[in-house]
Amino acid sequence: MVAERRPRIYLPRRLSAGEHYTLTGDQHRHLSRVLRLKAGAELTLFDGMGGEYAATIEEVRRAASRVRTGDYRDVDNESPLHVRLAQGVGRGERTDYAIQKAVELSVTSIVPFLTRRGVVRLDAQRAQRRLAHWRGIIVHACQQCGRNTIPELCTIVALEEWLREYECGGLDLILDPNSSTSIGDLEYGGGLVTILVGPEGGLDTDEREAACGVGFRGVSLGPRTLRTETAAVARVTAVQLHWGDLK
């Protein structure tokens, strides 16, 4: 018989065993109205710094819930392969999907970028709203998939600006449908793997040359044309299969 999975809640504060914490806002509404949990129900809390805590709901009020942490559990579901996804910002929910699935596949950081061909244009206010929205997606993905470390979300940046200050890591890959190189042809010697995926419309010639000029290597995903969100998930999956912990 499979044990019932406890709800997992992220609290953006340093947690300790044997302490009381108050859940408000979305966290409280999810527990009390969606899951309909009552006093005495068990759950798991994590603070995004690694590890997790058993916890018990002690009180459920209209606007808040009070919980008490139990023992700390050194649970580490992170991949041994550190992957950074540089994702071109797309329209609608495409970037949302790419970020959600990349987190489930254990990327350690995400860099959203804008390109010359990209259809999305963001002023400072809209950019901040997008970042807040994506942080919520990252947290929910970690709660769902069992990760106890929250990936870093970088600020939205123009691709050419990001590349000007870029320092190559262990292996830097850019999707290139014209490349004859596949993931199986590459040798990985350790370090950070960075995957650069353009938005719908792709990168222009100057952007692609700039990426290759700082050390990115073109790799192909096969003969079919993939949407930007599909390409991101496929490439992260491929590197995790080859060098990470996907079995």
Side-chain angles (χ1 to χ4, degrees):
M1 181 177 179
V2 178
E4 184 177 354
R5 189 170 183 266
R6 294 179 178 181
R8 288 170 41 82
I9 298 295
Y10 166 68
L11 283 183
R13 68 189 73 173
R14 194 65 178 175
L15 301 178
S16 300
E19 298 290 337
H20 288 92
Y21 298 94
T22 300
L23 306 183
T24 58
D26 290 341
Q27 297 162 332
H28 166 68
R29 284 190 290 272
H30 182 68
L31 290 181
S32 63
R33 300 179 187 178
V34 178
L35 299 179
R36 298 183 180 276
L37 297 181
K38 307 295 183 183
E42 296 180 337
L43 61 152
T44 297
L45 299 182
F46 67 104
D47 57 15
M49 304 300 291
E52 62 188 31
Y53 292 83
T56 304
I57 299 176
E58 293 196 338
E59 184 181 11
V60 179
R61 301 191 299 272
R62 174 177 293 183
S65 301
R66 189 166 181 260
V67 302
R68 186 178 188 277
T69 51
D71 293 336
Y72 170 77
R73 299 189 291 245
D74 187 17
V75 177
D76 182 8
N77 291 323
E78 297 299 299
S79 171
L81 180 69
H82 290 184
V83 179
R84 171 171 53 196
L85 173 65
Q87 174 67 46
V89 177
R91 290 181 296 185
E93 298 180 351
R94 293 178 179 179
T95 308
D96 296 1
Y97 180 89
I99 288 175
Q100 180 191 61
K101 300 310 174 188
V103 171
E104 293 175 13
L105 291 165
S106 201
V107 298
T108 53
S109 62
I110 299 165
V111 181
F113 64 83
L114 301 174
T115 62
R116 295 170 184 167
R117 286 183 178 176
V119 297
V120 175
R121 295 291 181 265
L122 300 174
D123 58 25
Q125 188 175 25
R126 290 184 63 204
Q128 288 304 311
R129 286 201 299 266
R130 281 286 186 99
L131 287 171
H133 174 67
W134 291 332
R135 288 189 188 99
I137 289 174
I138 289 171
V139 166
H140 285 300
C142 287
Q143 289 179 163
Q144 183 276 326
C145 74
R147 292 185 66 179
N148 289 321
T149 301
I150 302 294
E152 177 188 9
L153 176 64
C154 301
T155 57
I156 302 172
V157 64
L159 177 60
E160 57 185 350
E161 178 183 339
W162 184 64
L163 290 174
R164 276 199 299 268
E165 301 179 1
Y166 189 76
E167 295 183 4
C168 285
L171 185 61
D172 304 290
L173 307 176
I174 183 172
L175 303 185
D176 182 357
N178 299 316
S179 175
S180 60
T181 302
S182 68
I183 192 71
D185 299 324
L186 300 173
E187 293 185 5
Y188 172 63
L192 178 69
V193 175
T194 299
I195 298 170
L196 193 157
V197 182
E200 60 264 57
L203 309 180
D204 68 17
T205 301
D206 290 342
E207 290 168 333
R208 187 170 295 278
E209 289 180 352
C212 293
V214 298
F216 278 86
R217 300 181 60 182
V219 290
S220 171
L221 281 172
R224 290 168 296 281
T225 300
L226 304 182
R227 293 181 182 272
T228 176
E229 67 273 26
T230 309
V233 175
R235 178 52 65 217
V236 175
T237 300
V239 298
Q240 290 288 10
L241 277 169
H242 276 77
W243 306 305
D245 62 355
L246 286 184
K247 306 298 184 183

